[in-house]
Amino acid sequence: MAEQIQSALTILRRKQVEARVGLRRSTIYQGVADGTFPRPVRLGARSVGWLSHEIERWLADRVAAREALK
């Protein structure tokens, strides 16, 4: 249970998100603007991060979409 709470509250910074999903900054922010990528959480005046469980769900959705095409 504690691990679930921990992963739900884990914040990934942009470089970590880029490495995890294989997309660059401009593509990530375009997806946010289009509503096709999770929105970041504001951490401060000039910093944002993404919830790790939302990034993992986004990746799982991409895999599921690929499998649906088979």
Side-chain angles (χ1 to χ4, degrees):
M1 180 68 158
E3 288 180 23
Q4 290 175 332
I5 293 172
Q6 176 68 24
S7 68
L9 299 177
T10 301
I11 300 288
L12 301 175
R13 298 300 302 268
R14 183 180 49 84
K15 293 272 187 189
Q16 294 172 302
V17 172
E18 287 180 11
R20 185 73 181 109
V21 302
L23 300 173
R24 299 297 294 191
R25 177 181 168 206
S26 59
T27 306
I28 289 170
Y29 280 108
Q30 185 63 54
V32 170
D34 294 343
T36 60
F37 195 81
R39 291 177 44 213
V41 175
R42 179 145 310 275
L43 301 174
R46 296 178 53 166
S47 62
V48 297
W50 283 260
L51 295 172
S52 64
H53 75 277
E54 291 181 354
I55 298 303
E56 294 302 320
R57 185 174 57 226
W58 183 87
L59 286 168
D61 290 347
R62 302 290 74 73
V63 172
R66 181 191 70 180
E67 297 301 320
L69 294 176
K70 288 185 176 180

